[in-house]
Amino acid sequence: MSDNEVPGLTPRTVAALLGAGEALAQQVRTKILHSPRPVFLYYIEQTFDALRTKLARGLDPHPDTPAEQLCLYLMVAYAARLTGSLDADLIRIHHALLADHDVLVEFGRVGGHPDPSYNFVALGDALTGHGMSSFFAPFETDGLVA
C-alpha cells in the first residue's frame, strides 16, 4: 500500500481530500495574523494539517473531535465543488458528517465567494468559551460532545 492509500477510499478521493485540506489550511493561514481570533484560527489550521497527515499516512481520517469532524466535512464539500461531483467515497463521508454540523456550517458560510470558502472567525465568534474548548476536545465515549 502506498503512502496515500487509505482503506475504503480510492486514490482519487484521497488526492482530492489532500488538495482540499491544503487549500482550506492555506485560506486559514492567510487570515491568522489579521484576525481577532488568531489562536482559534491556528488550531483550525492544525486540525486541517492533522487530517491531511492521517490521509497521507494511509490512515482512516475518522474525526476524533468536533473540530476534525467539521474540517473533514469542509474538505469533502471543497473537494466535491472543485471536482464538480461527489464520487461514492465522498458521498459516504459527506452523509456521515453532515447530520452533526448543519448549524456550524451555516455560521461560517461565505455567500457569493467564487471559491469554496468558510469564515472561521464567524464560527469562533458564535462559540462560547466552553463551546470553543469542547470544539477541540475529543468526543465523549458515548459519542456526544461534552
Side-chain angles (χ1 to χ4, degrees):
M1 186 180 293
S2 76
D3 286 350
N4 285 348
E5 286 187 29
V6 177
L9 299 179
T10 65
R12 177 178 174 260
T13 298
V14 172
L17 290 172
L18 286 169
E22 174 55 32
L24 289 164
Q26 185 57 39
Q27 283 181 16
V28 174
R29 276 185 217 106
T30 62
K31 294 179 176 131
I32 286 177
L33 294 178
H34 306 290
S35 165
R37 297 201 173 273
V39 173
F40 180 74
L41 292 182
Y42 172 77
Y43 284 116
I44 292 292
E45 175 195 7
Q46 293 300 302
T47 300
F48 281 119
D49 289 344
L51 289 167
R52 289 179 53 242
T53 298
K54 284 182 183 181
L55 286 164
R57 291 183 177 166
L59 302 173
D60 182 347
H62 182 79
D64 297 319
T65 67
E68 284 186 359
Q69 191 170 13
L70 178 64
C71 288
L72 184 56
Y73 169 86
L74 294 172
M75 288 166 63
V76 170
Y78 192 101
R81 186 163 174 194
L82 289 181
T83 62
S85 67
L86 282 174
D87 68 17
D89 290 338
L90 292 177
I91 290 169
R92 181 176 48 81
I93 296 169
H94 189 265
H95 286 302
L97 297 171
L98 180 63
D100 294 335
H101 287 298
D102 286 343
V103 174
L104 293 179
V105 169
E106 286 306 314
F107 273 116
R109 281 204 198 280
V110 177
H113 199 276
D115 294 323
S117 190
Y118 192 79
N119 184 345
F120 288 101
V121 174
L123 173 63
D125 289 344
L127 294 172
T128 64
H130 176 70
M132 194 172 296
S133 27
S134 296
F135 188 62
F136 293 103
F139 289 115
E140 296 289 321
T141 55
D142 62 4
L144 300 175
V145 179

